[in-house]
Amino acid sequence: QMQRIKFTREGGKDIVLMNWQGHPTGHGSYHNSIMSYSGKVVEAVEEQLDCHMLYFTGASGNVDPSSRINSENITADYWEQGEFMAAEAELAMDSMKKEELGKLQCVHRDVEVMAKGKPTDFPICGITIGDVAFVTAPYEMFNGRGEYIKENSPFDITFISTVSNGGKGYIPTEETFEYGGYEVSRCNYDKGTAEKLAEGYVALLKELYDSRK
């Protein structure tokens, strides 16, 4: 799911925000360079629409782009994926619903979770502008938890920005712990943490929504 918002300003360039649930790196561990298709998306959209753009990585801790799977032409894959996503973003701009901005709100909360058997406070944050909500996750959230938050959010549009305001590593969903693997082996939190945090985000969003009244 690709989400896009455009802020139109008097006397300044429009600002485009885009959110997509895919791991931003364009290479695997076999490759020694750093690439991200998100950079190409920003470059292409800014050039075509003469705007400023911000790209947000969504819940993508377990979602890799195809270019990470031992591609023989990593650079071509990187550019092609970025250009495709930029084209999709540009096509949606003309059909966007126009609304006046609502008030800006921000709420920060600590959710108590278990880290290696010990209780610890985990920071979560939500920001809203009218009917648009943003939540920041200081870790690599799995896609299923991101979908849960969006489905239960009372706001028309909910952006999830991962690895924001900190970097606490991977927090896999409960069912993935039995399979092990890279993400599970690097998780410092107990099973069930992903679900508890997701519930915390939903409660935070509902609090922000109710406070608008």
Side-chain angles (χ1 to χ4, degrees):
Q1 182 186 43
M2 184 188 293
Q3 295 171 294
R4 298 148 297 243
I5 300 174
K6 182 171 68 174
F7 294 100
T8 301
R9 303 184 297 166
E10 292 184 5
K13 289 185 177 182
D14 293 345
I15 299 174
V16 175
L17 276 58
M18 177 176 166
N19 183 238
W20 195 64
Q21 292 69 51
H23 207 291
T25 53
H27 64 85
S29 58
Y30 59 90
H31 205 277
N32 61 5
S33 65
I34 298 176
M35 293 184 178
S36 172
Y37 55 79
S38 58
K40 179 57 181 176
V41 175
V42 173
E43 178 184 311
V45 171
E46 288 188 337
E47 180 180 349
Q48 294 298 320
L49 300 181
D50 189 28
C51 66
H52 297 302
M53 183 177 179
L54 295 174
Y55 180 95
F56 296 84
T57 298
S60 57
N62 58 330
V63 182
D64 278 351
S66 60
S67 57
R68 291 191 70 182
I69 307 174
N70 295 321
S71 169
E72 294 180 359
N73 193 342
I74 190 81
T75 303
D77 286 350
Y78 156 69
W79 285 98
E80 182 179 357
Q81 184 164 354
E83 289 176 341
F84 172 78
M85 291 173 63
E88 289 295 311
E90 291 163 20
L91 284 173
M93 295 301 168
D94 291 337
S95 60
M96 283 184 169
K97 181 175 65 173
K98 295 181 179 180
E99 293 185 357
E100 294 294 325
L101 286 176
K103 69 176 181 177
L104 175 67
Q105 300 182 99
C106 181
V107 173
H108 175 276
R109 291 286 181 271
D110 284 331
V111 177
E112 185 178 280
V113 299
M114 301 299 289
K116 303 297 184 181
K118 296 181 180 180
T120 184
D121 287 336
F122 198 103
I124 64 174
C125 180
I127 303 169
T128 64
I129 306 173
D131 290 325
V132 180
F134 302 83
V135 296
T136 63
Y139 62 99
E140 296 213 36
M141 183 188 296
F142 274 34
N143 188 261
R145 293 304 87 198
E147 290 181 348
Y148 176 85
I149 294 168
K150 290 182 178 182
E151 289 170 358
N152 290 276
S153 170
F155 289 89
D156 290 346
I157 299 176
T158 300
F159 275 52
I160 298 175
S161 180
T162 59
V163 199
S164 295
N165 300 335
K168 297 181 179 293
Y170 291 96
I171 303 184
T173 52
E174 187 169 2
E175 64 271 15
T176 60
F177 271 79
E178 64 180 282
Y179 300 110
Y182 178 86
E183 293 85 358
V184 172
S185 68
R186 285 158 175 78
C187 177
N188 294 317
Y189 296 89
D190 293 5
K191 183 167 63 173
T193 298
E195 287 69 26
K196 188 168 186 179
L197 289 173
E199 293 291 350
Y201 281 114
V202 171
L204 183 149
L205 288 168
K206 290 180 178 178
E207 178 184 339
L208 283 165
Y209 187 83
D210 291 340
S211 68
R212 304 184 315 165
K213 300 175 181 178

